[in-house]
Every structure is written in C-alpha cells, then in structure tokens.
C-alpha cells in the first residue's frame, strides 16, 4: 500500500512522523489502522526542500534507520537527484544516487524501474518546485494501486509487491 502526507506514522509512542510518501508491503499491512500507521513502513520517500534539509537528511534519516525502515529515498528537486539508502545494522547505507538521465531501480522493490528524467522533466514543466511530490505520488505511485495489471507490465513491477 502507498500513502502520502499527511499520514501519521507512529514509530513508537514518542515518535510520530508524516513522511511525504511511504510504502507498506502486503505482508505487513497489519500495521495499518483506520487512523494511522503503527510501526515502520518498508519504504519512505522524503522530498527535500531548503526548509526541510536538516530534518529530512539527518533527523528523520537516523530515526527511520533506528526503527527499521528497509529503504529510504531522498528526492532533491532543485538538484534533480534521488538518493536511495538501504538499511544495514540500524543505519542507512547509500545504495545509489540517481540523476535525471538514469533509470531508477529500487533495492527493495525488485523489478521496479522508472526513468528519472521523466519525473523531473514533467514536474519541471508543471512548476515542479511547488508540486513535485504531489505529481510523483498521484501520477507515478498511486496508479500502481488503481491500474496494477497494466502498470505491472509497463514498469516490470512484480505483482507480489503491491
């Protein structure tokens, strides 16, 4: 399942966050309640801005690693870069940085591929500084929920992860 902000994620009683985007594998949907998420999602995506850079790249990154998020993406719209981190011993290790000419491949979501240039180019045409994460969630991730069979083939995404 894919969720976007504002979705409360309670990592424990004292740590509640609202990631920009998050994914929970179907084997772990028991952490989803009517009001919020109770536990660490499998994948979290944060869209970094000048006002959120320290919180996203340091504070949240450490928090997510400590609570067992398996994969963490940092999206830098101004630089047109997406960094993917994977969990290792309660910390995140950089898996790969993707630039706009690259094909992004998730370490967690085997078979998930998307052209980074399409994300940033389309977002730029739509004034991406203001609506990047909204575009990304509505036009890239949410269709996976509504049109799974069609997009599974298109994105080479295994049906088992949705």
């Amino acid at each position: 399942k894919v969720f976007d902000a504002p979705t409360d994620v309670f990592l424990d009683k004292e740590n509640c966050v609202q990631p920009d985007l998050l994914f929970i594998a179907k084997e772990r949907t028991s952490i989803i309640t009517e009001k919020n998420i109770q536990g660490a999602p499998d994948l979290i995506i944060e869209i970094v801005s000048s006002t959120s850079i320290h919180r996203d790249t340091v504070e949240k990154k450490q928090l997510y690693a400590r609570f067992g998020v398996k994969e963490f993406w940092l999206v830098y719209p101004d630089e047109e870069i997406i960094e993917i981190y994977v969990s290792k011993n309660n910390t995140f290790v950089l898996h790969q940085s993707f630039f706009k000419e690259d094909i992004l491949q998730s370490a967690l979501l085997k078979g998930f591929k998307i052209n980074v240039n399409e994300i940033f180019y389309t977002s730029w045409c739509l004034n991406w500084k203001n609506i990047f994460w909204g575009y990304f969630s509505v036009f890239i991730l949410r269709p996976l929920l509504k049109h799974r069979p069609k997009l599974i083939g298109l994105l080479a995404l295994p049906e088992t992860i949705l």
Side-chain angles (χ1 to χ4, degrees), residues 3-155:
F3 298 88
D4 60 358
T7 300
D8 288 332
V9 176
F10 284 87
L11 300 170
D12 66 7
K13 291 179 182 179
E14 297 175 5
N15 292 287
C16 179
V17 292
Q18 288 187 342
D20 292 321
L21 293 164
L22 62 105
F23 168 80
I24 300 170
K26 67 179 175 180
E27 305 84 45
R28 302 190 57 248
T29 56
S30 61
I31 69 171
I32 302 169
T33 71
E34 286 185 34
K35 295 182 179 182
N36 53 48
I37 309 298
Q38 292 286 323
D42 295 287
L43 171 91
I44 290 181
I45 301 172
E46 293 288 359
I47 312 303
V48 180
S49 69
S50 59
T51 59
S52 72
I53 191 162
H54 180 75
R55 175 109 171 104
D56 290 339
T57 63
V58 178
E59 295 171 19
K60 283 186 171 182
K61 184 178 172 186
Q62 290 173 352
L63 191 65
Y64 296 157
R66 188 176 71 184
F67 282 95
V69 172
K70 296 175 186 172
E71 186 168 296
F72 177 54
W73 298 12
L74 286 171
V75 178
Y76 297 90
D78 290 334
E79 294 82 7
E80 298 184 343
I81 297 170
I82 300 174
E83 295 176 342
I84 294 183
Y85 294 87
V86 294
S87 178
K88 189 171 186 175
N89 300 323
N90 289 348
T91 190
F92 282 120
V93 176
L94 181 63
H95 170 68
Q96 191 169 350
S97 294
F98 295 94
F99 302 88
K100 68 180 185 174
E101 64 276 357
D102 295 333
I103 303 294
L104 182 145
Q105 295 184 27
S106 168
L108 177 68
L109 306 176
K110 301 298 181 203
F112 179 82
K113 297 178 183 181
I114 190 163
N115 187 325
V116 176
N117 189 42
E118 291 176 22
I119 296 169
F120 287 115
Y121 177 75
T122 305
S123 297
W124 179 80
C125 290
L126 298 170
N127 191 8
W128 59 267
K129 284 187 178 183
N130 297 324
I131 61 169
F132 176 83
W133 82 265
Y135 168 81
F136 190 82
S137 67
V138 171
F139 294 103
I140 303 298
L141 295 177
R142 280 196 177 170
L144 294 175
L145 299 174
K146 293 181 182 175
H147 305 287
R148 287 185 350 174
K150 181 179 175 185
L151 289 171
I152 286 166
L154 181 68
L155 298 174

